[in-house]
Amino acid sequence: MDEHVDDLKPIKLCWSIQVKVLNKWRERSEAGYRALRMILCDKRGSMIEAKINSELITEYDSEFKDGDWISLHHFELDLVTGDMRTTRHAYRINFLPSTILNLIPDKDDLHYTLYPSSILDVLDDKLIRTYLINLIGYVVDIEDIKYSDPSKRSAGYAMTSFKIKDANNYVLPCVAIGDLAEHFHDEWKRTRSSRVVCVLRWWGVYKVSGHMVIQSVGRCSRLDLDPDMPEVADFRVKSSASTGSSRYRA
Protein backbone atom coordinates (compact mmCIF):
# COMPACT_ATOMS: atom_id res chain seq x y z
CA MET A 1 0.00 0.00 0.00
CA ASP A 2 1.32 3.46 -0.90
CA GLU A 3 1.50 5.99 1.91
CA HIS A 4 0.99 9.76 1.79
CA VAL A 5 4.05 12.00 1.94
CA ASP A 6 2.67 13.79 5.01
CA ASP A 7 2.68 10.49 6.93
CA LEU A 8 6.39 9.76 6.41
CA LYS A 9 8.36 9.50 9.65
CA PRO A 10 11.67 7.73 10.49
CA ILE A 11 10.01 4.79 12.25
CA LYS A 12 10.64 2.23 9.50
CA LEU A 13 12.41 1.68 6.18
CA CYS A 14 9.69 -0.14 4.24
CA TRP A 15 7.74 2.93 3.16
CA SER A 16 6.20 2.88 -0.32
CA ILE A 17 5.14 6.10 -2.05
CA GLN A 18 4.10 7.31 -5.49
CA VAL A 19 5.28 10.83 -6.32
CA LYS A 20 5.97 13.26 -9.15
CA VAL A 21 9.48 14.66 -9.60
CA LEU A 22 8.98 18.44 -9.53
CA ASN A 23 12.67 19.34 -9.48
CA LYS A 24 15.89 17.38 -9.86
CA TRP A 25 19.37 18.86 -9.64
CA ARG A 26 23.00 18.03 -8.89
CA GLU A 27 25.07 19.78 -6.28
CA ARG A 28 28.51 19.60 -4.76
CA SER A 29 29.23 20.33 -1.09
CA GLU A 30 32.02 22.62 0.09
CA ALA A 31 33.97 19.44 0.92
CA GLY A 32 33.60 18.30 -2.70
CA TYR A 33 30.99 15.57 -2.19
CA ARG A 34 28.47 15.18 -5.01
CA ALA A 35 24.75 14.57 -4.48
CA LEU A 36 21.57 14.38 -6.52
CA ARG A 37 18.64 16.17 -4.91
CA MET A 38 14.94 16.24 -5.76
CA ILE A 39 11.64 17.77 -4.72
CA LEU A 40 8.88 15.17 -4.84
CA CYS A 41 5.12 15.67 -4.65
CA ASP A 42 2.31 13.16 -4.06
CA LYS A 43 -1.14 13.37 -5.66
CA ARG A 44 -2.47 15.39 -2.70
CA GLY A 45 0.10 18.11 -3.31
CA SER A 46 2.31 17.28 -0.30
CA MET A 47 6.02 17.73 -0.97
CA ILE A 48 9.23 16.29 0.42
CA GLU A 49 12.89 16.59 -0.53
CA ALA A 50 14.96 13.53 -1.47
CA LYS A 51 18.70 12.99 -1.73
CA ILE A 52 20.93 10.47 -3.50
CA ASN A 53 24.53 10.50 -2.29
CA SER A 54 27.48 10.27 -4.69
CA GLU A 55 28.02 6.51 -4.48
CA LEU A 56 24.46 5.84 -5.73
CA ILE A 57 24.06 8.60 -8.35
CA THR A 58 25.07 6.50 -11.35
CA GLU A 59 22.65 3.75 -10.32
CA TYR A 60 19.56 5.99 -10.27
CA ASP A 61 20.21 9.21 -12.23
CA SER A 62 19.39 7.92 -15.71
CA GLU A 63 16.21 6.21 -14.53
CA PHE A 64 14.05 9.34 -14.23
CA LYS A 65 13.81 13.05 -15.03
CA ASP A 66 11.85 16.17 -14.09
CA GLY A 67 8.12 15.63 -14.56
CA ASP A 68 8.19 11.83 -14.21
CA TRP A 69 5.97 9.92 -11.83
CA ILE A 70 7.89 7.35 -9.82
CA SER A 71 7.28 4.81 -7.09
CA LEU A 72 9.81 4.55 -4.28
CA HIS A 73 10.19 1.69 -1.84
CA HIS A 74 12.61 1.07 1.04
CA PHE A 75 14.38 4.29 2.00
CA GLU A 76 15.37 6.10 5.15
CA LEU A 77 14.26 9.47 6.49
CA ASP A 78 16.53 12.08 8.09
CA LEU A 79 15.57 15.27 9.90
CA VAL A 80 16.04 18.32 7.66
CA THR A 81 18.47 20.94 8.96
CA GLY A 82 20.11 23.99 7.44
CA ASP A 83 19.32 27.57 6.55
CA MET A 84 17.54 26.97 3.22
CA ARG A 85 14.69 24.45 3.08
CA THR A 86 12.94 23.50 -0.14
CA THR A 87 9.74 22.13 1.48
CA ARG A 88 7.90 22.37 4.80
CA HIS A 89 8.33 18.66 5.49
CA ALA A 90 10.34 17.92 8.64
CA TYR A 91 12.17 15.01 7.00
CA ARG A 92 14.17 14.22 3.86
CA ILE A 93 14.22 10.94 1.94
CA ASN A 94 17.67 9.37 1.62
CA PHE A 95 18.20 6.63 -0.94
CA LEU A 96 19.75 3.34 0.19
CA PRO A 97 21.51 0.70 -1.94
CA SER A 98 18.31 -1.33 -1.51
CA THR A 99 15.94 1.49 -2.56
CA ILE A 100 13.64 0.47 -5.43
CA LEU A 101 12.65 3.15 -7.99
CA ASN A 102 10.21 2.46 -10.81
CA LEU A 103 8.57 4.73 -13.38
CA ILE A 104 4.76 4.69 -13.19
CA PRO A 105 1.99 6.16 -15.39
CA ASP A 106 1.22 9.86 -14.95
CA LYS A 107 -1.57 10.71 -12.52
CA ASP A 108 -4.08 13.29 -13.77
CA ASP A 109 -5.43 14.18 -10.34
CA LEU A 110 -2.30 15.81 -8.92
CA HIS A 111 -3.27 18.69 -6.63
CA TYR A 112 0.10 20.44 -6.73
CA THR A 113 -0.11 24.15 -7.49
CA LEU A 114 2.46 26.93 -7.55
CA TYR A 115 1.40 28.51 -4.23
CA PRO A 116 3.19 31.81 -4.93
CA SER A 117 4.14 34.04 -2.01
CA SER A 118 3.01 37.65 -1.81
CA ILE A 119 5.56 40.18 -3.06
CA LEU A 120 4.28 42.61 -0.43
CA ASP A 121 4.97 40.05 2.31
CA VAL A 122 8.53 39.72 0.99
CA LEU A 123 9.02 43.50 0.92
CA ASP A 124 7.63 43.82 4.45
CA ASP A 125 9.90 40.97 5.66
CA LYS A 126 6.96 38.89 6.88
CA LEU A 127 8.20 35.52 5.62
CA ILE A 128 10.39 32.97 7.37
CA ARG A 129 13.61 33.21 5.38
CA THR A 130 14.52 29.59 6.12
CA TYR A 131 12.14 28.44 3.38
CA LEU A 132 12.59 28.90 -0.36
CA ILE A 133 9.58 30.52 -2.02
CA ASN A 134 7.70 30.75 -5.33
CA LEU A 135 6.76 34.09 -6.91
CA ILE A 136 4.99 35.36 -10.00
CA GLY A 137 5.11 38.81 -11.62
CA TYR A 138 5.76 40.88 -14.71
CA VAL A 139 9.42 41.39 -15.62
CA VAL A 140 10.61 45.00 -15.33
CA ASP A 141 13.98 46.83 -15.20
CA ILE A 142 16.30 44.18 -16.62
CA GLU A 143 20.05 44.73 -16.29
CA ASP A 144 22.74 43.35 -18.57
CA ILE A 145 24.35 40.09 -17.58
CA LYS A 146 27.61 40.50 -15.65
CA TYR A 147 30.51 38.18 -14.84
CA SER A 148 32.33 38.27 -11.51
CA ASP A 149 35.52 37.42 -13.39
CA PRO A 150 35.49 39.26 -16.76
CA SER A 151 38.26 36.99 -18.04
CA LYS A 152 36.02 33.95 -17.51
CA ARG A 153 32.70 34.68 -19.21
CA SER A 154 31.17 31.34 -18.29
CA ALA A 155 27.92 30.45 -16.52
CA GLY A 156 29.68 29.79 -13.22
CA TYR A 157 30.59 33.48 -12.95
CA ALA A 158 27.36 34.97 -14.34
CA MET A 159 24.93 37.25 -12.52
CA THR A 160 21.99 39.37 -13.60
CA SER A 161 19.52 41.60 -11.80
CA PHE A 162 15.92 42.38 -12.69
CA LYS A 163 12.67 43.23 -10.98
CA ILE A 164 9.21 41.69 -11.01
CA LYS A 165 5.93 43.53 -10.44
CA ASP A 166 2.76 41.99 -9.00
CA ALA A 167 -0.90 42.67 -9.77
CA ASN A 168 -0.89 45.54 -7.24
CA ASN A 169 2.18 47.13 -8.81
CA TYR A 170 4.55 46.29 -5.95
CA VAL A 171 8.09 45.78 -7.30
CA LEU A 172 10.69 43.36 -5.95
CA PRO A 173 14.42 43.14 -6.88
CA CYS A 174 15.66 39.73 -8.05
CA VAL A 175 19.17 38.37 -8.62
CA ALA A 176 19.86 35.28 -10.76
CA ILE A 177 23.23 33.60 -10.34
CA GLY A 178 25.20 31.21 -12.55
CA ASP A 179 23.42 29.07 -15.15
CA LEU A 180 20.10 30.65 -14.27
CA ALA A 181 21.39 34.13 -15.15
CA GLU A 182 22.32 32.98 -18.65
CA HIS A 183 19.09 30.99 -18.98
CA PHE A 184 17.06 34.11 -18.12
CA HIS A 185 18.77 36.23 -20.78
CA ASP A 186 18.47 33.47 -23.40
CA GLU A 187 14.73 33.15 -22.71
CA TRP A 188 14.27 36.92 -22.70
CA LYS A 189 15.74 37.20 -26.21
CA ARG A 190 13.17 34.67 -27.47
CA THR A 191 10.07 36.22 -25.92
CA ARG A 192 7.60 38.07 -28.12
CA SER A 193 5.15 39.21 -25.43
CA SER A 194 4.79 42.89 -24.58
CA ARG A 195 4.24 42.02 -20.89
CA VAL A 196 6.27 39.01 -19.86
CA VAL A 197 5.19 37.03 -16.81
CA CYS A 198 8.03 35.48 -14.83
CA VAL A 199 7.49 32.45 -12.59
CA LEU A 200 10.19 31.91 -9.97
CA ARG A 201 10.31 28.68 -7.99
CA TRP A 202 12.49 27.82 -5.01
CA TRP A 203 14.23 31.17 -4.57
CA GLY A 204 15.78 32.49 -1.37
CA VAL A 205 14.71 35.61 0.53
CA TYR A 206 17.49 37.94 1.73
CA LYS A 207 17.87 41.32 3.37
CA VAL A 208 20.67 43.35 1.80
CA SER A 209 21.57 46.83 3.12
CA GLY A 210 18.12 47.11 4.67
CA HIS A 211 16.25 46.11 1.48
CA MET A 212 14.53 42.83 0.69
CA VAL A 213 15.83 40.89 -2.32
CA ILE A 214 15.19 37.42 -3.68
CA GLN A 215 18.05 35.43 -5.15
CA SER A 216 18.48 32.09 -6.87
CA VAL A 217 19.91 29.29 -4.74
CA GLY A 218 22.45 26.99 -6.37
CA ARG A 219 21.01 24.69 -9.02
CA CYS A 220 17.74 24.28 -7.15
CA SER A 221 16.02 27.51 -8.27
CA ARG A 222 13.91 27.61 -11.43
CA LEU A 223 12.83 30.51 -13.69
CA ASP A 224 10.27 30.40 -16.51
CA LEU A 225 8.98 33.20 -18.76
CA ASP A 226 5.32 33.03 -19.84
CA PRO A 227 4.93 29.32 -18.98
CA ASP A 228 1.66 27.58 -19.83
CA MET A 229 0.29 27.42 -16.28
CA PRO A 230 -3.16 28.17 -14.80
CA GLU A 231 -1.51 30.52 -12.31
CA VAL A 232 -0.08 32.66 -15.14
CA ALA A 233 -3.51 33.01 -16.78
CA ASP A 234 -5.06 33.94 -13.42
CA PHE A 235 -2.32 36.46 -12.77
CA ARG A 236 -2.88 38.17 -16.11
CA VAL A 237 -6.62 38.45 -15.37
CA LYS A 238 -6.03 39.89 -11.89
CA SER A 239 -3.45 42.39 -13.14
CA SER A 240 -5.41 43.52 -16.21
CA ALA A 241 -7.43 46.01 -14.16
CA SER A 242 -4.32 47.47 -12.50
CA THR A 243 -3.07 50.63 -14.18
CA GLY A 244 -1.25 52.35 -11.32
CA SER A 245 2.45 53.15 -11.23
CA SER A 246 5.01 50.86 -9.67
CA ARG A 247 5.25 50.84 -5.87
CA TYR A 248 8.56 50.50 -4.06
CA ARG A 249 9.40 49.98 -0.42
CA ALA A 250 11.89 52.46 1.01
Side-chain angles (χ1 to χ4, degrees):
M1 178 180 177
D2 292 301
E3 286 91 4
H4 297 299
V5 162
D6 284 340
D7 297 330
L8 297 180
K9 295 178 177 63
I11 57 175
K12 61 179 183 178
L13 294 176
C14 55
W15 294 106
S16 180
I17 59 171
Q18 294 186 350
V19 287
K20 184 175 183 178
V21 182
L22 299 181
N23 193 356
K24 172 186 174 183
W25 72 98
R26 287 175 177 259
E27 69 174 20
R28 188 181 295 272
S29 70
E30 292 182 0
Y33 297 109
R34 295 184 304 130
L36 187 66
R37 292 176 61 184
M38 296 154 281
I39 299 170
L40 309 175
C41 180
D42 67 17
K43 66 179 183 179
R44 298 195 307 180
S46 300
M47 289 177 282
I48 189 169
E49 184 177 307
K51 184 177 182 181
I52 303 175
N53 288 321
S54 58
E55 65 273 12
L56 296 176
I57 289 178
T58 55
E59 181 176 345
Y60 292 101
D61 189 17
S62 62
E63 299 298 314
F64 68 102
K65 61 184 183 304
D66 277 13
D68 283 344
W69 276 91
I70 60 175
S71 66
L72 285 180
H73 179 72
H74 201 271
F75 49 83
E76 65 179 3
L77 292 157
D78 289 338
L79 192 66
V80 176
T81 59
D83 295 333
M84 289 295 175
R85 296 179 57 171
T86 58
T87 79
R88 297 272 172 165
H89 205 291
Y91 299 100
R92 174 192 294 116
I93 290 173
N94 278 332
F95 278 50
L96 302 168
S98 55
T99 298
I100 299 172
L101 183 154
N102 291 309
L103 292 175
I104 59 174
D106 291 354
K107 296 180 179 293
D108 295 331
D109 56 347
L110 175 65
H111 295 301
Y112 168 74
T113 58
L114 182 64
Y115 299 122
S117 297
S118 161
I119 285 182
L120 185 57
D121 284 348
V122 177
L123 292 170
D124 288 341
D125 199 10
K126 291 183 177 180
L127 302 181
I128 301 174
R129 288 183 234 159
T130 300
Y131 299 100
L132 305 186
I133 65 170
N134 301 330
L135 287 167
I136 184 169
Y138 288 115
V139 180
V140 294
D141 297 339
I142 305 163
E143 295 185 8
D144 291 335
I145 195 166
K146 299 176 182 176
Y147 295 88
S148 56
D149 185 342
S151 66
K152 299 177 180 178
R153 298 176 65 84
S154 61
Y157 299 90
M159 181 186 77
T160 192
S161 299
F162 60 98
K163 295 182 177 70
I164 58 172
K165 180 168 67 173
D166 68 9
N168 297 310
N169 294 311
Y170 285 104
V171 175
L172 177 66
C174 312
V175 179
I177 304 292
D179 292 340
L180 205 59
E182 293 197 335
H183 168 73
F184 172 71
H185 274 269
D186 288 344
E187 291 298 304
W188 182 256
K189 292 174 184 177
R190 296 190 185 100
T191 186
R192 295 294 180 267
S193 175
S194 57
R195 299 185 77 189
V196 178
V197 176
C198 184
V199 173
L200 306 175
R201 293 182 291 168
W202 302 295
W203 283 54
V205 180
Y206 301 87
K207 196 168 190 176
V208 180
S209 301
H211 298 280
M212 301 308 298
V213 177
I214 64 163
Q215 181 174 304
S216 62
V217 178
R219 294 181 177 272
C220 172
S221 299
R222 295 289 184 266
L223 180 154
D224 295 293
L225 299 183
D226 286 335
D228 184 13
M229 300 173 63
E231 291 86 354
V232 171
D234 291 343
F235 176 77
R236 288 190 181 278
V237 170
K238 291 177 182 177
S239 59
S240 62
S242 177
T243 57
S245 58
S246 298
R247 303 179 185 181
Y248 296 84
R249 277 286 190 262

